[in-house]
Amino acid sequence: MERNGDDSILAHEPIADSNGGIAGETTAVLSANLILDNVGEVALALDSDGLLSWRLLEPLRSDRSDCCGIKRSPLVATSIKLADVYAVEFVDHGLIPESNLSNPARCLLSEDSQIYHLVIHGVQTSKCHPCRCILDKYVFSHKDRQICQTWVNLINSRLDKEMQRPKNLLVFVHPKSGKENGRTTWENVSPIFARAKVHTKVIVTERASHAYDVMLAATKEELSQYDGVVAVGGDGFFNEILNGFLSLWHKAPYPPAPADFVQSLGDYGDFSMHNTNERGDEGDSGTCYTGDGSQLLLPKEGFRFGIIPAGSTDAIVICTTGARDPITSALQIVMGKNVPLDITQIVRWRTTAESKVEPCVRYAASFAGYGFYGDVITESEKYRWMGPKRYDYAGTKVFLRHRSYEAEVAVLQVNSEETHPVEGGNQHRHFRAQRGLNKRQKVICRVNCEICTANPAVSSQSKPDSQRGEMGWLSFKGRYLSIGAAIIACRNGRAPDGLVADAHLADGFMHLILIKDCPRAFYLGHLLQLAKRDGDPLNFEFVEHHKETSAFTFRSSGNSSIWNLDGELFQAHQLSAQVFRGLINLFASGPPV
C-alpha cells in the first residue's frame, strides 16, 4: 500500500476467483480524496464489481446554503457503474479559486495552485423520456498529477476489458437524408466518439448508391480493420449499406416456394444454395453464421452495424432503441450495445409478365410493401425538395387515387394460429363488433426479450421440415390496395405503435398483411387506427393478417405497382421472400421495459 499524501491512498487489492481463491491477476482498486466540481471534497473509490462511488467529506463553501441555522449541501449522485461510463479524460491544467475551498480542501488544492482533472463521462436514462440516454459528466480535481493519471489508466484498463466496445468504425453520412441534416447530425455526435477514443473513418456520400458501391468494392482486409459500419441517415440509407454488404458476404438458398411458382420459373426452378459472395472463400472471416440454411461470413468477429437517425421515419432506430434520438444511438454504439436483427431476403424473378427470369437478390430490415406503400414512395420522389412532408403530401394524393392491384400471394403457414380470420357478420360492417374484447394480447419486444434472445438453434426455421410445424402453403388471389411484410413493428412518427405492434426484432418471422380492395372510407379507418396510439389497424374485415410466417411468394397481374424495401424502390412482377433469424447484429440495446 502506498500513501501519496493528503489522505490519498493507492491500494492494490487481490481479487478472489469464483472458488474463493486468489485469481492470477490483481486489479488495482484506487481510493483517494479529491475535489468533485461544484460539490466539495469526496472520498473516491472503485470496487472489484465495477462500481465507482464517492462519499462527501466537506462541501465547497460557495455551495453551502443556510436555513434556520442548518447548513445543507446540494443533492448529487454518489456513484456510477463502469458499465455506464463511456469515456474518461485526463486534463492537465486548470485553476480553482480559493474562495471555493473548504479548509480540508486547501490541503489538496493550495491557493492558485496548478491542478489536474479526472473527467468521467457517463450515461444515464432521461427521467422524462425513459428511452433516451443523456450525457453525464463528473469532474474530479487534485494537485497531484499522478493521482489523476492513475485513475485514468485504471478506469481505461477496466473499460478495455469490455471487448464488445468498438475501437474502429466505418461511418457513412448521407448529407441529403431527412431534412438534409445528416452532416449536422454527425457533427453533433462525433465528439462522443472522440471522447470514447473510437476511431472513425467518415465517408460523406456524394451520389445515389455511393455507400452501396463502397461496401460492394470493399475487400475482407479493408473491412477487417473495423468493428462495424455506422449509417448516419434513414432506413433507406441503411438498406443501401446493408445490401452492399450482404450481397457479398451472405450465402443462402433461394426462398422456398409452392410447386406452381417453381414450375413457372422453368430452368431457374433450382432453389439450392446460391452464393453471391464471391469473396467468401478468402479464408476464415472470424465468425460464420450457420442458421436457417444460410451462412454469413463476417470480416471479423463481433462485426456489427449501427444507425444514427437522420432520416424521415427512422423506424429501425425507434424499434431498436425506443427513441429517435442521435445522442442515444451514438452512446449505445460507443458502449457496444448489441441486439440481433432479422433480415428478409427478397428475390425478384421477373420485372414484367413478359420478361425473362433473371434472379435479383435484395434484403430488407424493416418492411417490404406493395401497392399503396410503393405508390407513396414513387410519388414522393417527385417532391424531395419538400423534405419529410413530401410523404404526407404524396400519401394524400395516393389515398385519393385509391388504386388497387390484381395479385396472387402464397404464404408459408407455420401454425394453426398464424392467421386471424374475421368473425362472421354483415358484410357491410367494416369494423368488428366488440373490438375491445376481440383484441389480441400484444407482447411487445423489449430489451432482453426472451423470444429474441432464445437460442436460434431451436427456432422454427432452424428445425427440419418435419419438426417445425409447417402446414404447407396458403394461396390468395384478388385485388389488393396494399401488401405488406413487416419484419419488425415499424414504429415511426406517423404510426406510434407501428404496423404490427407486437412484431419482434429477432424471432425469425414476418407478419404479412393483405389489404383487400374496399371503399375509400373503410381504408381511411384503417389508416386512422394506424396513426393512433394503442390503435388496432389490423382489426378490419378487409385486412388479412398472416402472423409469424417465414416465407411468401408474390405474382402480379395486369397493371402493377412497385415494391418499397425499407424506403427503397424495387420493381418486381414476380418475387419470393424468406426471413433469416438474427442475421446481423445492431449497435443497440432494444427498447426499455
Side-chain angles (χ1 to χ4, degrees):
M1 179 180 297
E2 303 174 21
R3 181 174 296 273
N4 290 303
D6 306 319
D7 297 324
S8 300
I9 300 174
L10 177 61
H12 297 275
E13 300 180 3
I15 304 302
D17 61 21
S18 58
N19 298 320
I22 301 300
E25 297 181 358
T26 60
T27 300
V29 178
L30 190 65
S31 176
N33 294 350
L34 298 97
I35 297 297
L36 177 57
D37 191 28
N38 294 323
V39 175
E41 184 185 5
V42 297
L44 187 62
L46 174 62
D47 64 23
S48 59
D49 294 326
L51 181 66
L52 189 67
S53 61
W54 50 92
R55 176 173 53 88
L56 183 64
L57 299 177
E58 184 72 22
L60 294 179
R61 286 186 295 176
S62 60
D63 288 334
R64 292 179 176 181
S65 59
D66 293 335
C67 180
C68 300
I70 301 176
K71 295 181 177 180
R72 298 179 299 174
S73 299
L75 296 176
V76 295
T78 58
S79 66
I80 184 173
K81 297 179 180 178
L82 284 187
D84 295 327
V85 174
Y86 76 88
V88 57
E89 291 181 298
F90 172 74
V91 181
D92 62 357
H93 63 277
L95 296 175
I96 184 168
E98 180 193 9
S99 59
N100 280 349
L101 299 179
S102 60
N103 289 330
R106 291 175 185 173
C107 298
L108 294 178
L109 306 175
S110 59
E111 180 180 358
D112 295 331
S113 65
Q114 180 75 23
I115 62 172
Y116 304 92
H117 302 298
L118 163 73
V119 184
I120 306 294
H121 296 278
V123 180
Q124 63 175 260
T125 301
S126 170
K127 296 180 180 179
C128 299
H129 303 282
C131 295
R132 292 176 178 258
C133 297
I134 59 177
L135 302 173
D136 203 5
K137 184 171 75 171
Y138 303 96
V139 181
F140 298 89
S141 304
H142 201 282
K143 68 179 182 180
D144 190 328
R145 177 190 182 99
Q146 186 59 37
I147 288 289
C148 291
Q149 188 65 64
T150 301
W151 272 99
V152 171
N153 295 341
L154 175 60
I155 296 176
N156 276 328
S157 175
R158 296 285 290 272
L159 293 180
D160 287 342
K161 292 181 179 179
E162 295 190 30
M163 301 301 293
Q164 294 298 314
R165 297 199 176 191
K167 304 298 182 192
N168 296 281
L169 294 172
L170 178 60
V171 179
F172 289 95
V173 178
H174 192 323
K176 300 290 186 180
S177 187
K179 298 181 179 180
E180 300 189 0
N181 60 352
R183 196 190 303 266
T184 301
T185 299
W186 172 247
E187 291 173 353
N188 290 338
V189 301
S190 59
I192 294 175
F193 292 84
R195 291 191 205 106
K197 295 180 174 58
V198 178
H199 180 265
T200 56
K201 178 182 178 180
V202 181
I203 299 177
V204 179
T205 58
E206 301 174 352
R207 54 179 171 79
S209 300
H210 185 176
Y212 175 86
D213 293 339
V214 172
M215 293 300 297
L216 197 65
T219 65
K220 173 191 169 184
E221 288 73 19
E222 291 171 339
L223 288 181
S224 63
Q225 301 176 28
Y226 306 104
D227 300 306
V229 179
V230 175
V232 183
D235 296 332
F237 188 51
F238 177 71
N239 178 277
E240 179 183 328
I241 295 170
L242 182 69
N243 274 275
F245 179 83
L246 292 180
S247 63
L248 286 177
W249 300 95
H250 186 222
K251 179 180 180 181
Y254 288 127
D260 62 332
F261 187 95
V262 175
Q263 291 172 1
S264 70
L265 301 179
D267 295 338
Y268 287 87
D270 182 9
F271 277 45
S272 59
M273 182 76 74
H274 80 282
N275 184 13
T276 56
N277 177 6
E278 299 176 356
R279 301 171 191 173
D281 298 326
E282 291 184 2
D284 186 10
S285 297
T287 61
C288 181
Y289 175 88
T290 56
D292 303 336
S294 72
Q295 294 178 339
L296 178 63
L297 305 176
L298 297 176
K300 65 182 299 184
E301 185 176 0
F303 193 88
R304 282 164 285 177
F305 295 83
I307 312 175
I308 296 176
S312 299
T313 56
D314 299 310
I316 300 176
V317 166
I318 295 175
C319 289
T320 55
T321 68
R324 189 182 182 184
D325 177 49
I327 296 295
T328 298
S329 294
L331 289 171
Q332 293 192 3
I333 291 171
V334 300
M335 298 185 73
K337 300 298 183 180
N338 183 78
V339 64
L341 192 66
D342 287 343
I343 299 296
T344 291
Q345 177 203 59
I346 298 170
V347 180
R348 178 182 67 197
W349 299 96
R350 300 178 190 270
T351 55
T352 66
E354 297 78 19
S355 63
K356 296 181 179 179
V357 174
E358 297 179 356
C360 175
V361 179
R362 289 291 184 271
Y363 297 88
S366 63
F367 181 75
Y370 178 83
F372 179 82
Y373 307 112
D375 290 349
V376 170
I377 293 296
T378 302
E379 186 71 24
S380 69
E381 288 298 306
K382 305 175 185 177
Y383 310 102
R384 294 194 68 89
W385 56 270
M386 296 177 64
K389 291 183 179 180
R390 70 183 184 273
Y391 294 110
D392 296 327
Y393 181 70
T396 301
K397 292 186 64 175
V398 173
F399 170 77
L400 294 175
R401 194 181 301 155
H402 199 63
R403 180 179 298 170
S404 61
Y405 300 92
E406 187 76 24
E408 182 178 355
V409 180
V411 183
L412 184 60
Q413 190 179 19
V414 176
N415 58 63
S416 60
E417 296 181 356
E418 91 172 314
T419 60
H420 300 275
V422 180
E423 294 86 344
N426 190 323
Q427 61 181 355
H428 296 293
R429 185 187 61 199
H430 66 281
F431 199 73
R432 292 181 186 174
Q434 299 178 339
R435 186 172 71 88
L437 297 178
N438 290 331
K439 290 177 67 175
R440 295 182 296 112
Q441 182 179 3
K442 298 176 181 178
V443 180
I444 308 299
C445 187
R446 299 294 187 186
V447 62
N448 298 323
C449 173
E450 294 182 359
I451 294 175
C452 295
T453 56
N455 187 352
V458 298
S459 71
S460 61
Q461 280 220 8
S462 297
K463 297 179 181 179
D465 291 350
S466 60
Q467 300 179 13
R468 62 186 178 185
E470 292 181 1
M471 301 179 64
W473 291 88
L474 294 177
S475 296
F476 307 89
K477 188 174 183 179
R479 295 196 68 84
Y480 299 97
L481 291 170
S482 65
I483 298 171
I487 308 160
I488 59 178
C490 301
R491 297 183 186 90
N492 57 75
R494 297 171 180 82
D497 290 337
L499 184 58
V500 183
D502 52 352
H504 285 265
L505 297 176
D507 62 350
F509 295 111
M510 295 178 286
H511 293 251
L512 191 67
I513 300 159
L514 309 179
I515 310 293
K516 294 183 288 187
D517 196 7
C518 67
R520 184 184 288 110
F522 290 6
Y523 190 48
L524 177 61
H526 162 75
L527 296 178
L528 290 177
Q529 285 293 315
L530 187 63
K532 177 183 177 183
R533 186 170 294 281
D534 199 30
D536 202 352
L538 307 181
N539 206 11
F540 290 85
E541 288 187 357
F542 54 85
V543 177
E544 294 182 7
H545 176 201
H546 301 274
K547 183 182 180 183
E548 296 180 348
T549 182
S550 58
F552 74 91
T553 63
F554 163 88
R555 279 185 288 193
S556 66
S557 303
N559 294 330
S560 297
S561 177
I562 196 166
W563 280 86
N564 169 3
L565 307 184
D566 293 343
E568 295 294 297
L569 298 176
F570 190 59
Q571 180 71 47
H573 166 79
Q574 187 174 10
L575 62 76
S576 57
Q578 65 178 328
V579 64
F580 295 99
R581 183 179 185 183
L583 184 63
I584 67 169
N585 287 301
L586 210 62
F587 285 112
S589 63
V593 177

